[in-house]
Amino acid sequence: MTDAVLKLEDVTFRRGQDLIIRGLSLTVHRGEHWALLGPNGAGKSTLLNFCGAWAHPTSGVVSVLGRRLGRVELQALRRDIGHVDPRHPLRSPLSVREVVLTGITGTIETPMRWTPAAEQVEKADSLIASVGLAHRRTAAWPVLSQGERGRVLIARALAGDPRLLLLDEPTTGLDVAAREQLLETIAHVVSATPDLASVIVTHHLEELPATTTHALLISEGLAVASGRAEAAITSDAISRAFKHPIDVQRTEGRWHARARASGVRLGHVAH
Ligand SMILES: Nc1ncnc2c1ncn2[C@@H]1O[C@H](COP(=O)(O)OP(=O)(O)OP(=O)(O)O)[C@@H](O)[C@H]1O
């Protein structure tokens, strides 16, 4: 019996001539909260697509919630995974409550002829309250701020009682206050759900929730460091992953990165 929620074994991914993922392994256990870190183009989103059962690797084995990709229907598997994608493609002016309920139906829009049961509405409202949006329950999606949308998407992702929560750059485009609120929300829901495992993708260390327990640093499709967060997120590993000298610090659970001068010679500025 294993409590591995997610297992990637020696996974590769090829796109045309390019080997984008070059042999990566990752095991996420119940209650672990992983950060997938690396520079632009490192392969983070590609890897998250395997974790979310959106794509198959070219080689290697991916097991999500004990089921092996290639042997089960991807769509059935996806219903057990909570996915927070800030590019949520909703077109209709659904209310906050309706958006959260689509987490139960596993759809973007409300399915035709579907009416939620009273306990489903109750559950949606409780999740909305847990992300601090009780007062915005009836507000329509188009009028929400980006930060509010992020928090709605977290409630939506949790509506299906997932064992695995995937967060794809959830704080992208948020101002500093909205970012902090979203990170607090993530830390809050994660602490309130001890059995949940999560994987968050970001390239900014400042965007890691304080609840992050582990990290996989990747660069050009290869692992630079992997393991417990305090051992993996170091100045040395981050500098190697981003190919630039970077000082990393952790205070009160949160990480901060500061680039050292690179020594690049800058040209003369004409006046
Ligand atoms: N549709 C595509 N067609 C061709 N190459 C692609 C495509 N999508 C991604 N790639 C390439 O695959 C590699 C990994 O991309 P991926 O999006 O997984 O990286 P990432 O680490 O998530 O980057 P970012 O931080 O910029 O989002 C990159 O070299 C990228 O150029």
Side-chain angles (χ1 to χ4, degrees), residues 15 20 38-47 169 201 203 218:
R15 210 186 270 283
I20 287 166
N40 290 124
K44 304 180 296 294
S45 302
T46 306
L47 213 53
E169 302 191 44
V201 165
H203 12 66
I218 62 172

Side-chain angles (χ1 to χ4, degrees), residues 19 25 46 52 66 83 112 124 143-144 167 219 232 236:
L19 197 52
S25 297
T46 306
H83 194 192
M112 297 235 287
V143 306
L144 301 178
L167 302 125
S219 176
D236 175 56

Side-chain angles (χ1 to χ4, degrees), residues 16-31:
Q17 292 301 305
D18 300 328
L19 197 52
I20 287 166
I21 301 290
R22 301 193 279 158
L24 279 174
S25 297
L26 168 71
T27 304
V28 176
H29 295 98
R30 188 159 50 98

